[in-house]
Amino acid sequence: MIAKLSPLKGINIGNVATVAIRELSGLTTFDLRVQPKTASQSAITNALGMALPAKPGKVLGHVLCLAPDWWLLVGMQDAAQQLASIRLMDDHHFSIVEVSGQRTTIELEGPHAREVLAHLWEQDLREQKFLIGSVSQGLMASAPVIVWHVAQFRYRVMVRSSFALHLWEALEDAAVEWVDALPIR
Amino acid sequence: MKKVTFSFDDKRYKGLLGEPMAAALLRSGLLSITKSTYHGRPRGVVGLGVEEPNALVQLVSGTMESMRPATVIEVAEGLAASSLTGVGSLPDIPENARYDKTNRYVDVLVIGAGLAGLRAAEAHLLAGREVLLIDDQPAPGGHLRHLGLDLPSDLRDLLTHKKLTYLSRCTATGLYDQNYVVAIERRSDHLGSAAPVNSARIRVWHIRADQIVLAPGAFQRPLIFANNDLPGVMLSHAAATYVAVHGVRLFKRAVVATVDNQGYRDALRLHQSGVKVQGIYDARAEAKGSSVEASRAAGIPIRFRATVLDVAANKKGACQRVTLQDLDTNETYKISADLLAISGGWTPIVDLATHIGIKPQWSEEHAAFLVNHNTEQLRTVGMLAGDFGDDEHPAVFFGPVLDDEQARRAYIDLQRDTTLHDLRRAVGAGLHSIEHIKRYTTIGTAHDQGKTSGMITIGALCQLNGFAQGGKSSLSPAQVGTLSFRPPYVPVPFAALAGRERGLLSDPIRITPIHQWHKEAGAIFEDVGQWKRPWYFPKSGESMEDAVRRECVAARTGVAMMDASTLGKIDIQGADAAVFLDRIYTNLFSTLPEGQCRYGLMCKTDGIVFDDGVTTRLGKNHFLMTTTTGGAARVLGWLEEWLQTEWPDLKVYCTSVTEHISTIALVGPKSRQLLQALVTDIDLSKEAFPFMHSRMGTIDSIAVRIARISFSGELAFEINVEYGHARYIWERLWSLGQPYDLTAYGTETMHVLRAEKGYIIVGQDTDGTQTPHDLNMSWIVSKKKEFIGKRSFQLPYLKATGRHQLVGLLPEDGSEVIPEGAYITLLNAPTDEHGKTSHIGFVTSSYYSPTLGRAFALALVADGLNRMGEVVDIPIGKKVLRANICDAVFLDKENIKSQL
């Protein structure tokens, strides 16, 4: 199997004692669109064997709810196959599209992770406002991103692949007080 | 404190690290720091901080920032500055310092770390809230620092509270709705040459706080009298601080003129520091309080109902003799003094509150405008809220009555050199609104925005307006009203506002997965929106013209490839996907068989062409749409708008896959042969894989979708592959293609190839007014169905003759490439009475075609489709080119080659 090349080649800088920034390459992702509270959604949750987070901004396991009828499934390689049988039935209206190459994921970890993000992110990152297990979309350094609060002091920024290098350089700049930048361009 | 050396006007001075430059200069004996902007009068330090109206300097070290008051510059080793007369200048050097910005959400923001701010912070911390405390001074304490006093120990402990963030040297520059504050933090200037390279010089803070406490404090204000601008005339609090705290020994004999008890306290400090205070001249009829008693006890002469009228200068232009006046008898007397310390009352800093529209209220008792605001979101405390302490008792007094000659020397705004005389002229001219007078006289428009001059302007207007309106007495400041302030509170360097959004980070650069290969191959790039696309791939020594010709020839006669990954791609699925596309595109898509592709054109409701691209039917209910590179986001938004607002009944979902899928276009007569060597599970023959068909297959076990789509008119294949494998496939093709002389080409060659076939680029060959019919594309407009824009085609002006239509142009001189954008006129068109010639259209695309062996162009020409064969003029400066109007398709009109 020929390895996939990720936009940032799996780069990794910094240190978790302050802040580490790394690309998590190769996360399989799917876009799932379906009307909530419909038979189609029930069929999907049955087939996936798990519930979908009910509100935009919520994360359940590896499923991010991005809009009332839009979910992102992260690292669930078999999702499309699991839904293949429902797909053949015309009475169910939904779409599942693989978008693994659409974005890459940059993870920030460490006590200063929030501070680094705050340089580029206008939304409220306070622990009690952007809870662990929350997700939000917006522009970071003018690039469209999804920000996911994965765990304490750990955030994922999912960025469109074409913008990844730009965002990486902006993050490096934001982290310059803690991290020695590496040449990447 | 550490001793450091700095320079001012090329002379070396000694100072203490971190002290204000003004203090170090005064201690070194320098009283006159600059000359005034318009009148050229010598000027010295007046105040203590950002309110300083005089002592502007230009830094000549570091970033060479201009127009900074010497009162706020902290002395550091290596600091160099020069005096400045009103007008600063930007250095002609690149700005290399770091600047950044950050966002902060917090429970409580306290602005001002004086006693009131610290106490407010303490209360919120005790209530368990997180507090951000910002203050523009190097250390907390506010007036305590000016008195040389330490913080009470409980407040010192407060600063280490784990829920408190304290930012020194951080000035709130604007307060906006929803408790949003912008502040600038000067992080490294005070460290001089020791500043770390990885720290931003200035950080802009965007702060959103659930609650804000405004504790900005107050500025002392001057009085209006003749020659009140002389060096040696200072605000009393500043003078006493420089003398008592900073060890300035420049002054021997002082006179204090006051309207409140602050003058007494400052007189005492001067007295205790060894300055002979020859008298306190108090405009009030009497004064009570501990400071008054203490001054009396110290033996300082006190005279009530007296104030300063005039000042005489010595040879150097500094204060030498003060003329005082009894306010009841008008009797005057003179006293020699080298320091005249003025205490004209306090002006609370109302700026931030007025930014959000709060109107300050006049308080006669405080002789000041106050803001007493107390809501859940915003609270004012300290002097701004009227907490002046119990030993102040100011009078409402702004200066003695001056005659015309004295008024010309009585300065209101020292930086603008505006006098009481100018103010009288303004009122004499009929102006009475303070806002009009500000603009007429320029008072309050300098770097300090009237921090000291604003209130005394109001004071002067009380008298002037009162008499001007026929009254016999003076108005109250409440009747005159205050100035409204706008952000920023202090000047902010543009570089700070730009932050890190400079150079490479000023705008995103979008790149494809094959970008690095293009770079290594020596591509010259072109900006297409935010994308960097290879423009052409010059070999060594080749010009752009050479490279493009070589690339064109390869595509037309051999095999060439380009990175088309930037094309917008939208996955469209659902039971109504075909119906939806029928409504979006002008042509039919429901009839498209599975596994086939069709070119589509979409219009907005006005019937004007909006975007185009090829859409492939992947399954019964599944399509993949491609859009123009620049149109991807626009088109997705357009599709979602119709689905969400107009046709929510349609069962369709759209998903952007622009970056998930990368596209490589392999073009040319030898493309099939080359690709077939790599693809073993798809028969690429004409019979098995016709034009405008799409097939799934693999290359080295990598899943690919290959489509016979051609944007060049040649035999061509588009290889679609997931992002992560694109570079591999590209390089595989590249190495396999060497025996075929495979050539990489860029956007310029793509343009030549498509223009030779008359394929439009929406946005280049259209100017936002073309219908499909104007583009000679009536063939793509279905008559059988409804679609967006169709009804507009019935509008009279879209059916009228004379519309700009797309045509081809062949210049008579085939070697002459007409400049794009050139206007087209009728042959030998006459000029009108102004010597002008009206045009009938313009050139949209123009290239040299190696295949045609000549230059050619596309153009939009009025009624162009009815002008075939007509010769037109194209004036280029003084030259006039001639060209023939022709069909826009220059090559292979029967479309044979792409179908081979």
Side-chain angles (χ1 to χ4, degrees):
Chain A
M1 194 61 200
I2 289 134
K4 288 182 192 172
L5 220 63
S6 68
L8 300 171
K9 305 181 188 104
I11 191 170
N12 184 344
I13 60 171
N15 184 317
V16 290
T18 51
V19 58
I21 314 177
R22 57 181 88 100
E23 185 194 21
L24 298 182
S25 50
L27 290 181
T28 304
T29 48
F30 290 97
D31 250 17
L32 171 68
R33 302 286 304 274
V34 65
Q35 276 302 311
K37 297 180 186 129
T38 57
S40 300
Q41 196 205 22
S42 307
I44 287 167
T45 51
N46 286 338
L48 292 174
M50 61 174 298
L52 299 174
K55 270 176 117 178
K58 293 285 163 224
V59 181
L60 208 57
H62 295 278
V63 184
L64 285 54
C65 185
L66 299 181
D69 63 349
W70 180 17
W71 290 266
L72 197 69
L73 316 184
V74 180
M76 296 167 63
Q77 279 86 346
D78 305 328
Q81 281 158 310
Q82 287 169 312
L83 301 185
S85 58
I86 327 176
R87 199 170 198 171
L88 296 174
M89 292 185 275
D90 271 353
D91 47 344
H92 285 307
H93 173 46
F94 74 100
S95 80
I96 181 139
V97 180
E98 196 191 338
V99 289
S100 307
Q102 183 77 350
R103 301 182 187 86
T104 192
T105 303
I106 298 172
E107 188 166 76
L108 293 92
E109 184 175 5
H112 291 295
R114 189 154 67 115
E115 233 168 307
V116 173
L117 280 183
H119 275 253
L120 303 173
W121 189 239
E122 291 186 8
Q123 297 180 26
D124 195 346
L125 288 168
R126 279 179 288 180
E127 297 279 339
Q128 72 276 21
K129 298 283 178 172
F130 188 59
L131 302 169
I132 293 168
S134 298
V135 71
S136 188
Q137 297 188 76
L139 292 178
M140 188 175 283
S142 308
V145 297
I146 299 165
V147 176
W148 175 9
H149 192 178
V150 183
Q152 198 183 16
F153 299 145
R154 194 145 65 85
Y155 296 84
R156 285 183 184 176
V157 181
M158 307 176 87
V159 58
R160 295 278 290 265
S161 299
S162 62
F163 289 96
L165 183 56
H166 166 77
L167 179 62
W168 181 265
E169 287 175 343
L171 280 168
E172 261 187 355
D173 192 85
V176 73
E177 287 175 48
W178 299 286
V179 169
D180 289 327
L182 293 176
I184 180 171
R185 216 181 256 278
Chain B
M1 253 201 278
K2 200 182 143 201
K3 287 189 176 139
V4 293
T5 311
F6 69 100
S7 87
F8 180 70
D9 280 345
D10 297 328
K11 275 168 73 178
R12 297 176 73 73
Y13 291 87
K14 287 199 184 342
L16 299 171
L17 180 68
E19 74 174 336
M21 189 181 190
L25 292 176
L26 283 169
R27 200 172 49 242
S28 303
L30 191 69
L31 189 57
S32 289
I33 284 189
T34 183
K35 284 206 160 32
S36 79
T37 314
Y38 303 101
H39 297 172
R41 290 163 68 98
R43 293 281 169 83
V45 175
V46 168
L48 271 175
V50 293
E51 82 281 16
E52 172 60 40
N54 265 348
L56 286 183
V57 303
Q58 165 98 40
L59 295 182
V60 292
S61 60
T63 56
M64 304 201 172
E65 194 176 342
S66 195
M67 303 279 287
R68 298 219 65 206
T71 49
V72 303
I73 297 169
E74 289 178 53
V75 169
E77 192 62 45
L79 175 76
S82 61
S83 63
L84 185 97
T85 299
V87 182
S89 65
L90 286 174
D92 192 17
I93 51 165
E95 170 62 278
N96 289 324
R98 283 190 69 84
Y99 296 89
D100 66 16
K101 59 175 104 170
T102 191
N103 300 282
R104 178 72 189 259
Y105 286 78
V106 69
D107 299 341
V108 184
L109 168 67
V110 178
I111 298 171
L115 276 177
L118 287 166
R119 290 290 173 211
E122 182 182 37
H124 282 293
L125 287 167
L126 282 175
R129 299 186 188 99
E130 198 183 350
V131 176
L132 174 62
L133 171 65
I134 65 174
D135 185 83
D136 71 346
Q137 298 295 310
H143 284 313
L144 286 183
R145 292 185 63 248
H146 299 151
L147 300 175
L149 298 175
D150 287 334
L151 280 183
S153 62
D154 61 323
L155 289 179
R156 260 205 314 277
D157 296 344
L158 183 79
L159 293 168
T160 56
H161 196 289
K162 68 178 191 333
K163 284 196 150 183
L164 177 83
T165 310
Y166 161 63
L167 298 175
S168 62
R169 302 182 180 87
C170 183
T171 312
T173 61
L175 171 61
Y176 306 87
D177 289 342
Q178 277 85 42
N179 272 16
Y180 169 40
V181 168
V182 175
I184 61 163
E185 181 195 7
R186 292 185 174 266
R187 291 164 61 84
S188 67
D189 278 0
H190 61 284
L191 301 172
S193 41
V197 288
N198 65 349
S199 167
R201 177 177 171 245
I202 299 178
R203 173 167 293 169
V204 178
W205 289 79
H206 295 267
I207 304 160
R208 282 103 172 159
D210 298 340
Q211 299 180 50
I212 292 177
V213 178
L214 292 179
F219 294 129
Q220 203 175 23
R221 61 179 177 252
L223 294 171
I224 306 168
F225 53 89
N227 286 345
N228 59 351
D229 65 325
L230 296 186
V233 179
M234 292 173 83
L235 294 170
S236 66
H237 193 51
T241 301
Y242 289 124
V243 168
V245 178
H246 296 289
V248 171
R249 295 287 169 265
L250 186 57
F251 308 114
K252 302 284 173 279
R253 288 175 300 172
V255 164
V256 176
T258 190
V259 304
D260 61 6
N261 287 7
Q262 181 63 40
Y264 291 78
R265 285 194 292 274
D266 294 329
L268 271 169
R269 293 170 74 203
L270 290 168
H271 171 79
Q272 285 154 4
S273 303
V275 178
K276 182 173 169 49
V277 180
Q278 305 176 97
I280 297 172
Y281 295 85
D282 190 333
R284 297 172 294 182
E286 56 174 346
K288 286 196 282 276
S290 53
S291 50
V292 180
E293 300 314 320
S295 302
R296 245 184 217 123
I300 301 172
I302 299 168
R303 191 148 171 188
F304 293 107
R305 291 295 292 156
T307 194
V308 56
L309 180 70
D310 200 345
V311 188
N314 62 15
K315 273 183 286 186
K316 288 179 178 170
C319 170
Q320 188 177 34
R321 203 165 58 247
V322 181
T323 305
L324 298 143
Q325 184 181 40
D326 185 301
L327 289 166
D328 295 322
T329 63
N330 289 341
E331 177 195 344
T332 63
Y333 39 95
K334 293 178 180 170
I335 299 182
S336 290
D338 50 11
L339 172 65
L340 172 54
I342 306 294
S343 180
W346 290 103
T347 301
I349 304 170
V350 300
D351 298 47
L352 289 170
T354 68
H355 289 175
I356 53 168
I358 295 172
K359 291 266 177 250
Q361 298 300 317
W362 175 251
S363 165
E364 196 78 9
E365 179 198 337
H366 296 85
F369 281 98
L370 306 176
V371 176
N372 240 312
H373 200 85
N374 196 354
T375 63
E376 180 69 20
Q377 288 77 33
L378 184 74
R379 199 153 66 83
T380 55
V381 297
M383 296 189 80
L384 177 59
D387 180 6
F388 281 23
D390 53 10
D391 185 33
E392 209 59 72
H393 316 297
V396 181
F397 179 81
F398 300 97
V401 176
L402 300 180
D403 66 25
D404 204 46
E405 189 277 326
Q406 289 163 333
R408 287 173 193 269
R409 296 183 283 117
Y411 286 83
I412 305 257
D413 186 324
L414 283 86
Q415 185 58 218
R416 287 286 185 240
D417 271 346
T418 37
T419 61
L420 181 62
H421 175 74
D422 295 325
L423 209 53
R424 286 180 181 172
R425 275 202 330 175
V427 174
L431 301 163
H432 54 85
S433 154
I434 184 149
E435 294 290 351
H436 292 158
I437 285 168
K438 170 183 174 174
R439 284 150 185 82
Y440 188 78
T441 59
T442 74
I443 288 171
T445 61
H447 71 285
D448 59 337
Q449 293 284 292
K451 286 181 174 54
T452 50
S453 60
M455 193 58 224
I456 59 173
T457 304
I458 292 167
L461 284 176
C462 288
Q463 210 177 40
L464 295 173
N465 273 353
F467 293 117
Q469 286 166 19
K472 288 210 170 67
S473 63
S474 138
L475 300 175
S476 146
Q479 293 166 287
V480 174
T482 61
L483 285 161
S484 52
F485 297 94
R486 279 167 291 276
Y489 168 67
V490 291
V492 180
F494 274 115
L497 295 177
R500 58 171 56 82
E501 286 155 35
R502 300 191 292 169
L504 274 182
L505 292 180
S506 61
D507 194 46
I509 292 171
R510 300 180 70 181
I511 54 174
T512 76
I514 313 170
H515 182 81
Q516 196 57 33
W517 189 95
H518 304 321
K519 267 180 81 171
E520 285 157 18
I524 307 296
F525 290 90
E526 179 184 29
D527 289 336
V528 182
Q530 290 174 321
W531 290 97
K532 284 267 179 245
R533 298 194 68 180
W535 195 11
Y536 57 98
F537 290 85
K539 288 186 172 174
S540 86
E542 269 186 342
S543 66
M544 175 174 174
E545 209 179 3
D546 297 337
V548 171
R549 280 188 198 194
R550 175 176 52 74
E551 292 170 14
C552 285
V553 170
R556 292 271 182 236
T557 64
V559 57
M561 69 172 175
M562 86 170 295
D563 180 1
S565 303
T566 61
L567 283 179
K569 299 164 210 88
I570 301 168
D571 181 283
I572 299 171
Q573 30 183 308
D576 297 318
V579 175
F580 177 58
L581 288 177
D582 278 349
R583 295 185 192 176
I584 291 291
Y585 280 125
T586 62
N587 47 337
L588 267 174
F589 275 77
S590 49
T591 56
L592 181 67
E594 287 178 41
Q596 291 193 31
C597 324
R598 187 167 284 171
Y599 172 77
L601 198 63
M602 54 181 89
C603 295
K604 288 250 166 138
T605 50
D606 55 7
I608 301 302
V609 172
F610 164 54
D611 207 88
D612 67 346
V614 170
T615 288
T616 303
R617 190 167 203 165
L618 300 174
K620 181 173 158 232
N621 296 331
H622 192 184
F623 293 81
L624 186 77
M625 172 186 282
T626 61
T627 73
T628 57
T629 292
R634 261 199 312 271
V635 172
L636 182 63
W638 179 244
L639 301 184
E640 284 290 348
E641 182 184 335
W642 284 90
L643 283 173
Q644 291 181 29
T645 65
E646 299 296 326
W647 308 321
D649 52 309
L650 287 189
K651 290 183 169 174
V652 180
Y653 283 122
C654 302
T655 306
S656 168
V657 286
T658 297
E659 279 115 312
H660 179 63
I661 300 170
S662 298
T663 305
I664 299 165
L666 191 68
V667 177
K670 294 179 187 164
S671 57
R672 176 179 285 132
Q673 211 180 335
L674 169 58
L675 189 58
Q676 192 70 78
L678 203 55
V679 182
T680 51
D681 52 2
I682 308 172
D683 180 354
L684 300 180
S685 70
K686 179 184 175 182
E687 297 71 27
F689 190 176
F691 184 54
M692 293 307 259
H693 279 238
S694 164
R695 297 281 185 271
M696 309 299 291
T698 59
I699 292 177
D700 297 348
S701 325
I702 295 168
V704 294
R705 187 175 64 79
I706 296 174
R708 283 200 57 187
I709 296 167
S710 177
F711 195 42
S712 58
E714 288 302 322
L715 172 67
F717 297 87
E718 272 186 13
I719 302 144
N720 295 282
V721 60
E722 195 187 316
Y723 183 98
H725 283 133
R727 171 96 186 251
Y728 173 83
I729 299 284
W730 176 276
E731 290 192 37
R732 211 46 185 99
L733 280 166
W734 185 250
S735 56
L736 208 64
Q738 290 318 298
Y740 300 87
D741 204 13
L742 175 63
T743 301
Y745 71 94
T747 49
E748 187 66 15
T749 293
M750 174 195 83
H751 275 280
V752 177
L753 299 175
R754 64 91 199 170
E756 287 171 342
K757 283 291 294 172
Y759 295 153
I760 58 158
I761 300 253
V762 176
Q764 173 162 349
D765 300 300
T766 64
D767 69 353
T769 64
Q770 278 69 46
T771 64
H773 310 285
D774 297 332
L775 300 172
N776 202 13
M777 291 172 80
S778 303
W779 55 270
I780 204 167
V781 179
S782 170
K783 293 197 171 58
K784 296 180 194 145
K785 56 147 191 170
E786 289 294 328
F787 55 87
I788 298 169
K790 182 177 186 180
R791 289 173 210 177
S792 295
F793 295 153
Q794 301 309 313
L795 290 166
Y797 69 91
L798 290 189
K799 292 165 79 178
T801 53
R803 294 184 54 76
H804 278 180
Q805 294 169 328
L806 187 76
V807 295
L809 276 185
L810 285 172
E812 283 189 348
D813 176 357
S815 66
E816 185 94 43
V817 178
I818 311 167
E820 284 175 357
Y823 282 112
I824 298 165
T825 69
L826 291 170
L827 186 65
N828 299 322
T831 54
D832 64 13
E833 67 269 30
H834 306 297
K836 310 265 186 200
T837 310
S838 56
H839 70 84
I840 57 166
F842 60 94
V843 175
T844 60
S845 296
S846 182
Y847 312 97
Y848 183 84
S849 162
T851 310
L852 300 170
R854 67 178 342 280
F856 73 106
L858 299 176
L860 287 169
V861 174
D863 207 21
L865 295 172
N866 290 318
R867 292 184 190 268
M868 291 298 148
E870 199 173 313
V871 180
V872 289
D873 281 346
I874 300 159
I876 308 290
K878 287 189 175 143
K879 201 160 70 171
V880 177
L881 303 178
R882 289 242 151 107
N884 277 286
I885 295 181
C886 61
D887 186 71
V889 184
F890 296 88
L891 270 184
D892 186 25
K893 287 188 200 292
E894 301 76 27
N895 292 324
I896 294 165
K897 294 174 78 176
S898 59
Q899 309 196 24
L900 284 174

